[in-house]
């Protein structure tokens, strides 16, 4: 079984003392590719160094909505140049809208739209963070589509209702589920996981956050994406092997990845 964790942050300090052990565990779990998200462009050199160390790691570059206040006239150029400088960059992000306690909603919208434009220019997908902002996110994307062109992408760590899920499916997005889907209280998210068409479904950890059951409360890590796969497979009444194969194929299609032959997995 091959798995792709489509959203990780292993550059965080919580991983540094034991990265080799963390990698060994993700290999043991069948994780053959990882997509490393980027909170701000300043992280880019460190993420590149991780990809040099772990060839199965690919990555994004972007500015998180909670860091929108850091945007300057040079940020767009920096993101564009960094994305164009390394063939291992497979997405722009994470970007999006986070209106939970936010007082800079208009600034977030402007910064997000600027990154959509970069993704459009480079023909890269976007990794979208959306918290308490589904309606303005939908409206902004619809307007961008009408003025420019559709952009490929994924609603990462998705926590929306089935109705909201359908909005973003209608816009052509993939939907990615994290460890939250394993939580007993996540009834609407579980309904969304049943709703998403097989060819738009992705899985992730968003590590080090949101460890899935049965690891809830611990530091999350890429190996735990297997628990997400098992939960979503159960919700959809398919085998975990089927779910793994479909989500791996979807991640390869969206991020233009390839995976090693099964026999070569242990040699990565």
């Amino acid at each position: 079984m091959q798995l792709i964790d489509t959203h990780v942050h292993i550059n965080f300090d919580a991983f540094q003392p034991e990265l080799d052990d963390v990698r060994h565990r993700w290999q043991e779990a069948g994780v053959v590719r990882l997509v490393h998200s980027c909170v701000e462009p300043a992280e880019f050199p460190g993420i590149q160094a991780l990809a040099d160390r772990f060839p199965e790691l690919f990555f994004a570059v972007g500015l998180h909505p909670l860091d929108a206040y850091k945007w300057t006239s040079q940020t767009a150029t920096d993101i564009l140049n960094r994305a164009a400088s390394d063939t291992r960059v497979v997405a722009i992000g994470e970007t999006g809208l986070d209106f939970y306690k936010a007082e800079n909603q208009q600034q977030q919208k402007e910064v997000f739209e600027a990154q959509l434009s970069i993704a459009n220019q480079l023909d890269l997908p976007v990794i979208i963070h959306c918290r308490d902002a589904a309606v303005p996110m939908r409206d902004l994307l619809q307007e961008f589509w009408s003025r420019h062109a559709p952009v490929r992408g994924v609603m990462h760590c998705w926590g929306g209702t089935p109705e909201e899920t359908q909005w973003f499916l209608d816009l052509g997005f993939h939907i990615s589920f994290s460890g939250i889907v394993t939580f007993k209280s996540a009834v609407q998210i579980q309904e969304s996981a049943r709703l998403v068409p097989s060819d738009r479904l992705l899985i992730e950890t968003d590590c080090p956050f949101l460890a899935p059951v049965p690891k809830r409360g611990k530091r999350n890590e890429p190996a735990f994406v297997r628990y997400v796969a098992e939960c979503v497979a159960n919700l959809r009444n398919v085998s975990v092997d089927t779910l793994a194969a479909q989500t791996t194929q979807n991640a390869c299609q969206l991020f233009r990845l390839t995976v090693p032959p099964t026999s070569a997995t242990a040699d990565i």
Side-chain angles (χ1 to χ4, degrees), residues 117-168:
S117 295
I118 295 169
N120 186 41
Q121 181 177 342
L122 297 178
D123 190 25
L124 288 172
V126 285
I127 297 172
I128 294 182
H129 172 108
C130 181
R131 185 180 187 191
D132 290 358
V135 171
M137 173 67 71
R138 177 198 60 187
D139 294 346
L140 187 154
L141 289 170
Q142 288 176 335
E143 184 176 344
F144 187 90
W145 276 206
S146 67
R147 288 187 289 109
H148 302 284
V151 176
R152 297 175 295 120
V154 55
M155 307 302 295
H156 113 84
C157 193
W158 184 240
T161 66
E163 180 185 13
E164 293 164 348
T165 302
Q166 191 61 55
W167 294 347
F168 298 106

Side-chain angles (χ1 to χ4, degrees), residues 184-237:
K184 186 176 181 180
S185 60
V187 176
Q188 290 195 101
I189 298 171
Q190 291 165 359
E191 286 301 314
S192 293
R194 295 185 181 99
L195 168 70
V196 176
S198 294
D199 63 352
R200 302 276 203 87
L201 183 67
L202 296 174
I203 54 175
E204 64 173 87
T205 56
D206 197 16
C207 63
F209 313 110
L210 303 170
V213 175
K215 301 292 185 178
R216 191 173 183 183
K218 300 182 182 295
R219 183 203 63 191
N220 203 1
E221 61 179 74
F224 296 170
V225 77
R226 185 165 188 145
Y227 298 116
V228 180
E230 290 171 351
C231 176
V232 175
N234 184 59
L235 290 169
R236 296 169 68 90
N237 197 29

